Structure formats: structure tokens, C-alpha cells
């Protein structure tokens, strides 16, 4: 009779389970904000973000982009884009998104405080470059735009808001 193999130790099973779960961060399970019904008038106008990011969305669907960071892992390269483009809504079951395409880049620069060395010619690997902004409302019920950056498991958000009225 052959001896029965020993069961793996509980610590090994727990370690394997932890490793499997670590690959499933918050962004992997992100299901949208559920926001619907945002109008062109509400989304149009100026938006500001961190480190001098500015976005001007016009009601005719054109956009002016200044110092907007790359999305997802592109953010880690540290480059930022400026130029002109177009925008439109994409209404999904999980919520409305604002799709922004940079059609004509005018410049690239590096985000302040970037520790990663930028590529020889910083900028996106393709043109046009597309961002998908999620739409949500903050505590004051003001519309905010955001996209995820960096490691998708981290769930980091780049948030843009309308500037505060003087």
C-alpha cells in the first residue's frame, strides 16, 4: 500500500490565496459610477486638475487640452500632453463616460516631481490619444471627471473639477 501524500500546510494555502487575490485590485472590479443624464452644457467649460492640468470642453465637441497626464501605465512614464481634440459622451449601463481624443498634439512635457526618466521623445505611443473619463458628482453635487492612472490594482484617480467661482 502506498502512503498517502501529506496535505499542504495551511500557511502555504493561505499564501497562494493571498497571491491570487492580490492580482485583483479595485480597478479590475470597477463597475462605473452609475451616473447618467449629464448634459453637454453641464460638461462644457473649463476643468482643472493637479499640477496645472487644464481642459476646456466646448459645446461644439471640440477641446483644448493642457498638461494632461497619460492614463493607466502611461502615467508612470511622466509625460503630459497638450493640444486640441474632440470629446463626446459614451453612455454605458455602468454609467456615462466622457471620451476625449487628442487629435493634434502641440506639445509634450514632464509632470513635476516625476522620478521616472521620460523617454527620449516623451509622448504617447499612438495618435490620436484617447482618455475615458468617468463622470461623478462630489459632496456638493458638482460634476467631476476622473480617469484611473498607474497600476490598475491601485485604483489611483486623476480628478478634474470646474474651477471655483471667484
Amino acid at each position: 500500500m502506498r502512503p498517502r501524500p501529506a496535505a499542504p500546510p495551511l500557511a502555504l494555502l493561505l499564501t497562494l490565496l493571498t497571491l491570487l487575490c492580490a492580482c485583483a485590485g479595485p480597478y479590475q472590479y470597477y463597475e462605473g459610477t452609475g451616473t447618467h443624464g449629464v448634459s453637454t452644457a453641464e460638461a462644457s467649460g473649463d476643468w482643472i486638475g493637479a499640477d496645472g492640468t487644464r481642459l476646456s470642453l466646448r459645446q461644439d465637441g471640440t477641446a483644448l487640452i493642457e498638461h494632461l497626464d497619460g492614463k493607466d501605465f502611461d502615467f508612470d512614464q511622466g509625460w503630459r500632453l497638450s493640444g486640441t481634440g474632440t470629446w463626446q459622451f459614451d453612455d454605458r449601463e455602468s454609467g456615462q463616460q466622457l471620451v476625449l481624443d487628442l487629435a493634434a498634439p502641440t506639445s509634450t512635457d514632464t509632470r513635476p516631481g516625476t522620478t521616472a526618466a521620460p523617454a527620449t521623445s516623451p509622448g504617447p505611443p499612438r495618435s490620436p490619444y484617447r482618455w475615458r473619463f468617468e463622470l461623478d458628482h462630489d459632496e456638493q453635487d458638482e460634476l467631476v471627471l476622473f480617469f484611473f492612472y498607474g497600476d490598475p490594482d491601485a485604483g489611483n484617480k486623476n480628478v478634474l473639477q470646474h474651477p471655483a467661482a471667484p
Side-chain angles (χ1 to χ4, degrees):
M1 198 185 245
R2 287 182 13 180
R4 181 180 235 176
L10 183 59
L12 177 62
L13 289 174
L14 289 174
T15 301
L16 288 173
L17 182 61
T18 301
L19 287 173
L20 287 172
C21 292
C23 294
Y27 182 52
Q28 278 184 315
Y29 298 112
Y30 182 73
E31 295 183 13
T33 62
T35 299
H36 294 278
V38 175
S39 68
T40 300
E42 188 178 4
S44 295
D46 293 328
W47 296 87
I48 57 170
D51 298 320
T53 298
R54 295 190 64 81
L55 181 60
S56 181
L57 303 177
R58 299 181 187 116
Q59 289 198 20
D60 66 359
T62 60
L64 178 61
I65 301 155
E66 296 179 48
H67 312 294
L68 188 55
D69 295 306
K71 63 187 187 321
D72 300 326
F73 284 112
D74 288 345
F75 179 86
D76 296 336
Q77 295 177 21
W79 48 258
R80 310 171 87 199
L81 299 170
S82 296
T84 58
T86 60
W87 68 278
Q88 63 186 358
F89 289 120
D90 184 9
D91 204 355
R92 299 174 170 207
E93 186 177 328
S94 60
Q96 204 171 10
Q97 291 181 332
L98 188 144
V99 180
L100 175 66
D101 288 312
L102 175 69
T106 56
S107 68
T108 59
D109 62 303
T110 304
R111 183 176 59 256
T114 300
T115 56
T120 306
S121 61
R126 64 198 169 282
S127 186
Y129 192 80
R130 173 171 280 182
W131 292 267
R132 285 188 164 274
F133 287 91
E134 301 292 331
L135 306 175
D136 203 359
H137 291 89
D138 63 15
E139 298 80 29
Q140 291 78 33
D141 204 31
E142 297 292 326
L143 184 65
V144 295
L145 309 176
F146 69 90
F147 64 87
F148 291 98
Y149 68 86
D151 184 344
D153 291 337
N156 295 318
K157 293 180 185 178
N158 191 330
V159 179
L160 281 78
Q161 299 175 301
H162 281 300

